[in-house]
Amino acid sequence: MIIGVLNQKGGAGKTTLSLNLAAYFASNNLRTLLVDADPQASALMWSSAREAEPLFPVIGMAKPTLHKDLPSVAGDYNITIIDGAPRVNELGRAAILASDLVLIPVQPSPLDVWASDETVQLIREAQQFREGIQGAFVINRKISNTVIGRDVVDAFKEAPFPVLPTIISQRVVFAESAAYGLSALEAEPHGEAAREIAALGRAILEREERQAA
Ligand SMILES: Nc1ncnc2c1ncn2[C@@H]1O[C@H](COP(=O)(O)OP(=O)(O)OP(=O)(O)O)[C@@H](O)[C@H]1O
Ligand SMILES: [Mg+2]
């Protein structure tokens, strides 16, 4: 399965979710590849900051031909995650075209749902070429111990793609662990961030199984 993580809005959590999900899948014995499709190369820098043994390879492929080049490489892995660039251009198009599932990280606010519209449109365009491409929102940076307000829930109800049921909270460990090229799962294996990422990873795998059935 190839999972793209895209949102043209900068700082939505694409890289954070990409590398933490990759760490979750890899530590569950799935052969995992992380593709950095962003010219900013944040995922590549994360992997060079790492002193620990790599859990999974990270390769740079910020190319408009990504959808053509990736399948032969991704064939060797159970899961490939593409960390997308905050752009609406041929790089974003290629990353979406290469994906089976596109995750769109958004903060729990209607403003973020609306702001992701260009990415939603790109996914819709790609679906004209390949019907099987799916889109799903992932709520990221929820302030922990708060309840998501009614108006926010309503905004997500009207969202153009489903919203995954697992929510990732705002937690310092995501930023701190990244500084050392680690995932939250490694920095705090029994912490809440690791628990939430595991729940998100499981939700993605279960969704895939349901659809294959
Ligand atoms: N759940 C979270 N809790 C705490 N900090 C977070 C969380 N998600 C993201 N961040 C922080 O927010 C900032 C932006 O996140 P990230 O780099 O993952 O976003 P991005 O969408 O990849 O950005 P860009 O568009 O620049 O590629 C980073 O400093 C990151 O550590
Ligand atoms: Mg990024």
Side-chain angles (χ1 to χ4, degrees):
M1 175 172 43
I2 303 186
I3 303 169
V5 186
L6 281 112
N7 189 337
Q8 90 285 342
K9 191 170 157 61
K14 298 177 284 296
T15 304
T16 301
L17 294 188
S18 294
L19 51 92
N20 280 282
L21 278 174
Y24 169 75
F25 292 132
S27 15
N28 282 276
N29 298 320
L30 292 165
R31 269 174 297 133
T32 305
L33 173 69
L34 180 58
V35 175
D36 193 334
D38 181 357
Q40 287 183 112
S42 318
L44 285 169
M45 286 187 220
W46 172 84
S47 96
S48 39
R50 186 178 173 96
E51 284 177 7
E53 279 290 300
L55 281 177
F56 49 84
V58 184
I59 61 168
M61 225 188 239
K63 292 197 290 186
T65 53
L66 174 71
H67 56 301
K68 295 190 181 129
D69 303 339
L70 186 58
S72 62
V73 185
D76 293 335
Y77 296 88
N78 301 116
I79 305 238
T80 297
I81 299 181
I82 306 172
D83 177 17
R87 311 265 165 80
V88 186
N89 61 11
E90 67 281 9
L91 288 183
R93 265 188 206 101
I96 291 170
L97 275 174
S99 302
D100 302 304
L101 170 66
V102 181
L103 300 179
I104 311 167
V106 281
Q107 292 192 40
S109 155
L111 299 177
D112 265 50
V113 180
W114 300 329
S116 67
D117 191 55
E118 287 178 304
T119 300
V120 169
Q121 293 314 323
L122 275 189
I123 299 171
R124 294 230 190 278
E125 279 171 33
Q127 286 171 332
Q128 309 286 315
F129 293 98
R130 201 154 62 76
E131 239 174 79
I133 302 173
Q134 305 203 351
F137 287 95
V138 177
I139 300 178
N140 181 34
R141 305 193 88 159
K142 175 181 166 291
I143 307 293
S144 45
N145 304 322
T146 56
V147 176
I148 291 190
R150 238 225 117 118
D151 14 2
V152 179
V153 172
D154 286 348
F156 279 102
K157 269 193 199 135
E158 284 165 22
F161 295 124
V163 183
L164 294 189
T166 44
I167 294 177
I168 306 299
S169 303
Q170 165 81 27
R171 295 188 198 276
V172 178
V173 67
F174 283 116
E176 284 177 352
S177 57
Y180 301 99
L182 294 172
S183 59
L185 188 76
E186 295 166 285
E188 288 180 7
H190 303 294
E192 286 298 303
R195 193 185 54 73
E196 288 180 354
I197 288 290
L200 174 61
R202 276 196 305 274
I204 293 168
L205 295 176
E206 281 164 13
R207 194 186 145 92
E208 161 90 350
E209 274 165 27
R210 272 200 310 277
Q211 285 170 355

